[in-house]
Structures are given as C-alpha cells and as structure tokens.
Amino acid sequence: MDIEKIMKELTLAEKASLVSGNSSWTVGPIERAGVPEIFVSDGPYGLRKQESDTAEIYDSIDAVAFPTSAATASSFDKDLMYEIGTALGKECQAENVAVILGPGINIKRSPLCGRNFEYISEDPYVAGEMSAALINGVQSQDIGTSLKHFAANSQETERMYASSDMDERTLREIYLAGYETAVKKSNPWTLMCSYNRINGTYASENKWLLTDVLRDEWGYDGLVMSDWGAVSDRIKGIAAGLDLEMPGSGGVNDARIVEAVETGKLDEADLDKAVRNVLNLMEKYHSKKREEVFDRDKDHEIAVHAEEESIVLLKNEDVLPIKAEEKIAIIGGFAENPRFQGGGSSHINAHNIVSAVSVADSFGSFTYTEGFPYDGDQMSDEMKNQAVEAAKNADKVVVFAGLPDSYECEGYDRSHMRLPECQNILIDELLKLSKPVIIVLHNGSPVEMPWADYVDGIVEAYLGGEGVGEAVMKVLYGKVNPSGKLAESFPKKVEDNPSYLSYLGQNHRCNYSEGIFVGYRYYDTKKMDVLFPFGFGLSYTTFDYSNLKVSVGGSAVSGAVDINADKITVSVDITNTGNMAGKEIVQLYISDKTKAAIRPVHELKGFEKIALNPGETGTVSFELDKRSFAWFNEAISDWYAAGGEYVIEIGKSSRDIVLTETIEVKGDAPVLPVIDMDVQIGDLLKNDITKNVVLRVMKEEIQKFSGSDGLEVTDMDPMTYAMLQYLPIRTLRSFTHMTNERVESIVAALKEEVEKVSR
Ligand code: BGC
C-alpha cells in the first residue's frame, strides 16, 4: 500500500468515512482508492468472530475458550501468556481477523466489578507485564491487539456515562501504569479507549490521555479506537487523538467531520493523522497476511495446559492430592456444567467443553450428584438429601461450587460477594458428616467463604476455559502440581475492600477516594486480616528461599546506589524441599523507608516462576531500575524516587516475606519548595540548598542577639525546633525581632539559591 498516494487520492468525505467502522466489525474498503477492508473481533481469551453484522452476541464461530484473564493472571507465567497469544494470533490469521480486541487490563478496584474475570489484576505491574507478554505473542503472528479499556474503567455501572475522578498520582501509579508498561514493552497495534469519563472528560475526547500521555510521553505510534459506542463528540475526539470510531454512527459523524473541516472547526491535519493511522493498521495486517489453519484441537490442549498452570490451591489440610483408590463423591452442578467463561462481548462459542464429571472415570472411583444447580440459587430438599447420602458413602467429598453466569457479567456489577446461599447451605450440611470436604471454585472474582476455616481443601479454578474440568481433575489427583498464585487479594468480606465506601459513586461521579491504596497496597499497609492475600497459593511440594544477593555491575552493593545510572540485580536461590516436581512464583516487593511520600507499605516490582525437581535448587533474578523505586510526584509532574533507605523484600506472597535486604539509594534531587513569604521553615530545612541559607541566617540572628557565635540551630531544644518547622517564614517578623525588610531579603536570597539550581 502506498499510503501517501492514497492520502492524496482520498476525498474529504472518503477520509471522514475511513475513521469509523463500515459495519460492527469492519473498517474500509474504499476500492477506488486502493484501500482494503480489515476485520476485527473480540477477544480477549478466544475468538468471538461474528460472521454477520446482525448476529446476536452469542452467535459466533466455533472457537476455543482459553482460561479467562482472571485465571491466567494467577499463572504469573509470561511465557504461557506468550504461548496463548501466539495461538490466538494464528487463529486470527486463519479466520481473516486483523485485530483481536484485547487484552483488557482495567484494575480490579473492587471485587464487585462485573467484568473482573476479563481483567488481570489489582496490581498494575502484573497487569502490564502479563498483558505485554500476551500482546507480543499475538503480534508475533502479524496480528494486532487492542489493549483495552483505556482507562480507569473499573466498574460496569453507568460505564458509558459516569466519571472516574481521581488525582493524577493515582491515575499514573495505579490506573495508567499497566498500559504504560504494555505500550512500551509490546507496542500493541491498537488501543481501545474506555466508555467512561475521567475527571469529567470522556476518554474518547481526552486529549491529555490520548495524545499528551499516550503518544507524546510514552511514544505510542499505533491506532486508538473507541470502545463500541463510546463516542459522544466525534469532532472533539479526532482533535484529542481518537483515530477510529467503532462501530460507525450511520453516517452522522462522517457528515459532521466534513462540515467541521470545511468550516475550520477541525483542522484537516488532525483528520489526516487519524486516517494515516487507519491506513497504517491496514498495511501492517495486509502486508503479512498468510494462510493459517485454526487447529481447534491443538488449541484446546493449550487451553487445558494454561488452566493447569493457573489453578490456585488455597487450602490443603493433608487432603489433596486424592489417591486413585479413594472413593470420592463429586457434588455440585458445576462438575457437570463448569462455568468456564464470563458473559458479554468476550463470550466464546466453545469448541470442546470438558467437565470434571466427563473425565472423572479415568482418575478414580466416584459418584456424581448435582446437589445444587450451576445456574441459580434453587436447591430442593431432594437434591440436598441425595448429595448428603452420596457423601456418606465416600472417603472424600469434592464440591464444585461457583458463581452462576447471571451473578457476574459485562454490563453490570455484582451487588454482593457471596456465593448463592444454597451452595453455602449444602456445604454446611456436608461438613456435619465429618468427612474431608474439598471445594473447587468457578468464579471470575473473589467470593466470601463462610466455610473456609472448616473445609479441608479449597481449589480456585476461576473461569478456567473450556478444558477446566480436565485441568481441575489433574490437580485434584496430583497429576499436575498446582502452581498458581492469586493476582488479587481475597478480602474476608466486601466491606473490607478499600473502595467499599465510594464504589459506584453518586450523581454519575465516582470518586476513587482510596487513591493509590488499591488491593494489597491497602490491606498490607493497614495490616488487615484477609481471607487470602495477594500472591498466595500452595503447592504439593515445599520451597525454601536462600542466598539473597543484591548487586550492581556484578558486585555486591556497597554504599548508595545511583538508581538513575545503575541497574540493580537481585537474585535468590529457591530449593524444592518436597517430594514432587513443582513450580514456585517468587515475588519481589520494594518498601520505601525514605518517608518522602505517603506510600503503601510495599509494592510488587518483580515476579518469576521457576520449575524445580525434588531436591533441586535454581536461581531467579530480577532487574530493578529507577521506576522500581519511584512514585508519581505531582509537584514535578514526573516519576520521582527520593534518596534514602529502601528494603528489597522477597516473598512467597505479599504477606509472607521470607528474605529482605536494605539498600541505600542515591535518588533524585530533592524537590525544592516554592519560595514565597508563606513557605514553611520546615520545608526549607528538608534540602541542603535552602537549608544552608536558613542556617546561615539563623546563625547570624543568634549571634546578633545572644552575642555568642558558638550556638547552632541544631542545638535548639526539640520543642522549639518542632514548632519552628511549621512556621511560615513571614511569621518571623511577628515572633522574632526580624523586620519585614529582613524577612523579605531572606526570601530573596532563598529564591536566588533555588533559581541557581534550576537554571
Ligand atoms: C466492550 C469491548 C468489546 C466491544 C466489542 C464493548 O461493549 O466493552 O470490550 O471489545 O464491545 O464487542
């Protein structure tokens, strides 16, 4: 494609028509000018290709449902994400799909968000790293992705209207950081802006978001499309950097664009930018288009394997793995009809759904009783009694529980965090039998578990894709050693969640009042009890951590590390001390001790998964850079790491830190206070530049009035010193003998010093 030639040939009306969908899923063609068509499809964890424009949402091609992102996030396995991405990319090549609409990485602010199953984590580092790996996998097949929903779309209620309101630090550190990582590490061909407003401005019209941050700061050069129907004012959108409206507007916005250019309301150069981005996307796809086969059976195996790597063992009181000779009673409708995906635009017409019951024969001796239904909250006495009878005759009871489809879905949020009551009732009945009870969960986000202390085993399968039944049985019987860990915290009850008091907002404004304290950043800082912490998961083997080393350029750290110049390498040895081969997810957190800012007690800055045979020791290592230590400092509109002490923590979960090392960091230059008559003396004493001026002046004053030149400010008694800290400098003329002229001259001297360093 000769893009510049096409640009010259296109009429204004044709350009306007190219920046929106031609149908629900297509863009282009304009044959006259040599512009081809491209086709896009959901996403994110399977192909929802709709062959007809008028098809119902669940009417899509036969495809493979991989585990949802909530599940695969728990694998903490970037190679696995790449592998799934590669499979999706191949499927797209085979099905003539140019862009798969995903991954979605909105932050799990509350367990109640109806769409959490589609998202990766409460932690932006995990969301960024895992999505980048998936994107790189898809794009290795010359197929595009659409990283969505950009940004701050952490609820479904009023998702197309409400405003997510927060300070810039919270946006940058929590709600944008994952996108920044993915953009920089994987350069997704497209991004999809979200429906909601951010601080009052629709994401689809938000120039700060779509141009200043995304393109100018992060260097993004791909295409930005709207979420489906997210455009309110198309003209503002084009000027803000929204290239493509999806789907179309029935021609309404095409006409408005033409009129806006003709009347000078829209700069044609802005429209041209958008058109070029559309043409570039077409070129990327068509120039490498090739024949591929959608091998559903092969991809099904990848889906099973992905779930095996993702299942999280949450509790095991010597009850798992089950031995082949043990008689088990399988109870619960989810064993026959597993819930393996969520509802809405990600819904796959699954190729081969494997239930636990359908494969149980090949594992051992079992009975199956429905007990409670998979799709509601009705359990008859007869169902309950049958389940109890079945359990009486078994050595172990395995309950397949979970959230019915209607409980969590795109388009609305959950109103509570509970399982259907009938499930809890039956579990209580079964516990009365004093038999070992194991619960297998099928849910897209955390649930309350009133029985957690009493059951013997808990297996979190999440919404585990079409092969979930097989993967779960392999874990239950120890054919697979579970190795997933939670990429989100499980609070004991929904009221414990930091967003609880303000979630969903009022008057269409959602105040993200907990700020940066999302998920474990809140629970850990508050030292609150949680049901299961972030990063937690058990194995059938055990791991020992030792030999933590922190080095720069190959030598152990000594003295202050200049994080603006040096890369820090952290390594730790992990030994499998049990009897079974297994995998461990090793986590690195950093705890800022400088007190330069309000920060969570620690933040995740690295994770690695390592496979080890019994007795084997392996080493995992991490690289840390300035960003590992930094927070977003609004005073300078930039990432900032203060000099001082930081603790590097190596943990099995956010609550199980096993090794630490404290390092001294030479950080960024101190941020100097704004100098005026109101500046507080304490702020002036916080950095050497202004501190030296203050000390000089005070020494002069002390000398003047006491006649002594031996006294220092630091000799001051702590009470006087404490009070001095919070005095605006102007108060010196009231509380000391200083004249106004003297204070003004000190302020002038301070300004001069500050200007010198900023020059
Ligand atoms: C969803 C997107 C999806 C799009 C197309 C929207 O409602 O929010 O995630 O990609 O529809 O189906």
Side-chain angles (χ1 to χ4, degrees):
M1 266 168 82
D2 184 343
I3 292 177
E4 287 316 308
K5 182 161 169 276
I6 294 173
M7 286 300 292
K8 282 197 196 99
E9 269 179 36
L10 290 174
T11 63
L12 179 58
E14 283 170 336
K15 284 184 193 168
S17 76
L18 255 192
V19 293
S20 65
N22 203 8
S23 71
S24 294
W25 310 110
T26 56
V27 186
I30 301 177
E31 273 154 20
R32 184 197 71 75
V35 177
E37 182 185 82
I38 53 168
F39 197 101
V40 303
S41 281
D42 284 305
Y45 42 80
L47 200 54
R48 187 177 70 96
K49 185 183 178 195
Q50 300 206 280
E51 308 223 79
S52 123
D53 208 24
T54 51
E56 292 294 317
I57 193 163
Y58 294 148
D59 182 7
S60 55
I61 62 163
D62 172 34
V64 174
F66 293 90
T68 59
S69 308
T72 52
S74 319
S75 75
F76 281 86
D77 186 339
K78 289 172 259 187
D79 295 339
L80 179 71
M81 295 304 268
Y82 189 90
E83 188 187 350
I84 296 171
T86 306
L88 288 170
K90 290 205 163 91
E91 294 180 2
C92 289
Q93 280 289 2
E95 289 293 328
N96 305 316
V97 171
V99 175
I100 182 161
L101 304 174
I105 60 166
N106 295 91
I107 291 294
K108 300 185 188 199
R109 180 181 175 221
S110 163
L112 298 182
C113 173
R115 227 174 161 179
N116 274 358
F117 65 86
E118 262 188 83
Y119 299 147
I120 291 178
S121 182
E122 68 187 24
D123 179 83
Y125 181 82
V126 180
E129 294 290 328
M130 295 292 272
S131 63
L134 184 101
I135 292 166
N136 280 326
V138 174
Q139 295 187 174
S140 72
Q141 299 307 306
D142 303 306
I143 293 296
T145 51
S146 198
L147 181 63
K148 65 191 186 183
H149 309 87
F150 189 55
N153 176 192
S154 292
Q155 67 187 52
E156 289 299 281
T157 305
E158 295 195 295
R159 66 171 164 160
M160 301 193 183
Y161 190 71
S163 178
S164 302
D165 295 344
M166 69 195 86
D167 55 55
E168 187 177 352
R169 179 173 175 202
T170 302
L171 254 173
R172 296 282 197 157
E173 285 185 31
I174 305 293
Y175 295 94
L176 298 186
Y179 295 94
E180 181 180 359
T181 301
V183 163
K184 290 180 176 169
K185 288 198 162 177
S186 61
N187 197 18
W189 286 12
T190 82
L191 254 87
M192 186 191 293
C193 79
S194 58
Y195 284 123
N196 52 289
R197 304 173 210 231
I198 300 167
N199 292 327
T201 306
Y202 275 120
S204 61
E205 296 167 13
N206 203 315
K207 176 173 173 297
W208 175 81
L209 184 72
L210 303 185
T211 298
D212 301 354
V213 173
L214 176 64
R215 293 189 188 278
D216 297 348
E217 271 186 45
W218 299 349
Y220 182 63
D221 63 1
L223 171 138
V224 181
M225 67 174 77
S226 72
D227 199 345
W228 267 233
V231 169
S232 174
D233 185 328
R234 184 65 182 115
I235 308 306
K236 277 192 192 159
I238 291 181
L242 176 70
D243 301 309
L244 178 65
E245 172 178 12
M246 286 306 286
S249 58
V252 172
N253 282 334
D254 299 18
R256 285 191 184 143
I257 293 169
V258 170
E259 198 234 28
V261 170
E262 282 171 352
T263 56
K265 275 186 241 146
L266 177 68
D267 189 347
E268 188 163 1
D270 285 340
L271 175 62
D272 285 354
K273 261 192 236 161
V275 175
R276 273 200 184 84
N277 285 336
V278 170
L279 294 173
N280 271 325
L281 176 66
M282 291 169 160
E283 161 70 8
K284 272 191 205 161
Y285 170 68
H286 281 290
S287 62
K288 300 220 170 132
K289 172 82 193 95
R290 57 178 175 267
E291 290 297 308
E292 225 1 297
V293 181
F294 185 168
D295 187 338
R296 290 169 172 78
D297 295 331
K298 186 167 156 231
D299 290 358
H300 172 84
E301 291 311 317
I302 297 175
V304 175
H305 169 67
E307 176 64 354
E308 291 168 10
E309 295 293 314
S310 304
I311 288 172
V312 189
L313 179 61
L314 292 175
K315 183 170 184 185
N316 185 16
E317 303 279 310
D318 283 333
V319 73
L320 291 171
I322 299 169
K323 295 179 194 72
E325 60 277 16
E326 287 170 330
K327 275 199 297 181
I328 64 163
I330 295 180
I331 293 170
F334 292 91
E336 205 177 12
N337 290 290
R339 181 150 174 268
F340 60 92
Q341 65 174 338
S345 61
S346 63
H347 192 278
I348 301 304
N349 199 354
H351 175 63
N352 176 14
I353 303 164
V354 183
S355 72
V357 169
S358 71
V359 293
D361 251 347
S362 54
F363 290 88
S365 130
F366 78 102
T367 58
Y368 166 66
T369 323
E370 185 185 5
F372 50 75
Y374 70 95
D375 57 356
D377 196 2
Q378 274 89 43
M379 172 178 64
S380 64
D381 283 347
E382 195 191 342
M383 288 162 84
K384 185 170 80 182
N385 295 338
Q386 274 175 3
V388 172
E389 280 313 306
K392 281 184 187 159
N393 298 318
D395 299 318
K396 286 177 179 168
V397 182
V398 187
V399 181
F400 282 69
L403 293 173
D405 249 333
S406 61
Y407 274 51
E408 53 180 350
C409 182
E410 176 180 345
Y412 57 91
D413 296 303
R414 289 199 287 165
S415 56
H416 59 77
M417 218 178 87
R418 297 187 298 277
L419 289 169
E421 196 44 30
C422 67
Q423 298 186 20
N424 292 335
I425 290 172
L426 184 57
I427 292 169
D428 280 347
E429 287 301 315
L430 295 169
L431 281 169
K432 288 182 193 155
L433 303 176
S434 301
K435 301 245 174 188
V437 174
I438 299 148
I439 311 290
V440 179
L441 287 166
H442 301 70
N443 47 318
S445 98
V447 290
E448 286 170 26
M449 303 181 203
W451 31 257
D453 287 342
Y454 314 109
V455 299
D456 302 272
I458 304 175
V459 174
E460 177 55 82
Y462 277 112
L463 305 183
E466 62 179 48
V468 63
E470 182 180 339
V472 165
M473 291 306 276
K474 283 182 178 163
V475 164
L476 290 175
Y477 281 86
K479 308 272 180 233
V480 163
N481 189 351
S483 63
K485 293 194 179 185
L486 297 176
E488 62 188 324
S489 312
F490 275 47
K492 287 194 170 228
K493 53 185 190 305
V494 69
E495 291 82 357
D496 293 345
N497 177 259
S499 76
Y500 179 72
L501 294 176
S502 63
Y503 193 54
L504 305 183
Q506 64 183 359
N507 299 331
H508 324 300
R509 309 274 326 200
C510 308
N511 182 3
Y512 282 44
S513 53
E514 71 284 2
I516 55 173
F517 291 96
V518 174
Y520 72 86
R521 285 170 164 74
Y522 175 80
Y523 302 120
D524 290 1
T525 306
K526 294 259 295 183
K527 298 197 173 94
M528 270 175 76
D529 273 353
V530 289
L531 187 55
F532 298 108
F534 177 86
F536 174 77
L538 301 168
S539 164
Y540 294 149
T541 187
T542 47
F543 299 97
D544 191 44
Y545 289 45
S546 62
N547 202 18
L548 171 60
K549 285 190 194 144
V550 182
S551 57
V552 170
S555 345
V557 162
S558 65
V561 185
D562 181 357
I563 47 169
N564 281 300
D566 299 327
K567 276 216 178 339
I568 300 176
T569 304
V570 177
S571 68
V572 58
D573 292 348
I574 313 295
T575 306
N576 182 341
T577 47
N579 303 319
M580 199 189 260
K583 292 182 181 168
E584 173 70 336
I585 297 160
V586 185
Q587 299 153 49
L588 185 153
Y589 298 84
I590 292 190
S591 178
D592 178 348
K593 302 293 179 196
T594 67
K595 298 202 170 71
I598 295 172
R599 293 191 78 170
V601 65
H602 57 189
E603 293 169 32
L604 184 80
K605 297 296 170 187
F607 60 83
E608 289 300 330
K609 193 167 192 174
I610 182 170
L612 294 166
N613 286 319
E616 193 187 354
T617 298
T619 305
V620 293
S621 46
F622 308 90
E623 291 259 291
L624 304 177
D625 58 16
K626 150 95 184 268
R627 270 299 279 277
S628 316
F629 295 86
W631 51 283
F632 191 82
N633 189 337
E634 290 182 81
I636 53 167
S637 270
D638 206 351
W639 294 90
Y640 179 83
E645 263 182 21
Y646 293 80
V647 181
I648 294 172
E649 305 177 340
I650 300 294
K652 297 182 173 181
S653 79
S654 82
R655 285 293 173 92
D656 190 3
I657 302 299
V658 284
L659 295 170
T660 61
E661 181 155 333
T662 303
I663 60 163
E664 181 73 23
V665 158
K666 177 176 172 303
D668 293 317
V671 177
L672 300 180
V674 175
I675 307 292
D676 56 21
M677 289 293 271
D678 292 315
V679 67
Q680 298 183 107
I681 293 173
D683 288 338
L684 295 169
L685 293 172
K686 275 187 197 150
N687 70 83
D688 286 342
I689 291 138
T690 53
K691 183 176 168 184
N692 286 337
V693 177
V694 175
L695 293 186
R696 191 185 71 222
V697 169
M698 297 191 72
K699 200 165 178 180
E700 283 165 17
E701 293 297 317
I702 291 169
Q703 277 171 353
K704 202 149 93 197
F705 289 96
S706 70
S708 148
D709 55 355
L711 270 179
E712 295 288 340
V713 181
T714 41
D715 295 336
M716 226 180 269
D717 71 90
M719 264 171 75
T720 317
Y721 186 77
M723 281 176 57
L724 185 77
Q725 277 187 78
Y726 306 124
L727 292 184
I729 198 163
R730 66 177 148 71
T731 61
L732 291 180
R733 65 190 174 208
S734 315
F735 301 146
T736 71
H737 303 282
M738 283 189 208
T739 59
N740 189 48
E741 288 70 39
R742 174 76 168 134
V743 179
E744 277 179 351
S745 78
I746 299 169
V747 168
L750 286 163
K751 273 194 182 146
E752 206 182 305
E753 288 302 314
V754 167
E755 267 161 27
K756 253 193 240 160
V757 286
S758 52
R759 249 180 250 139

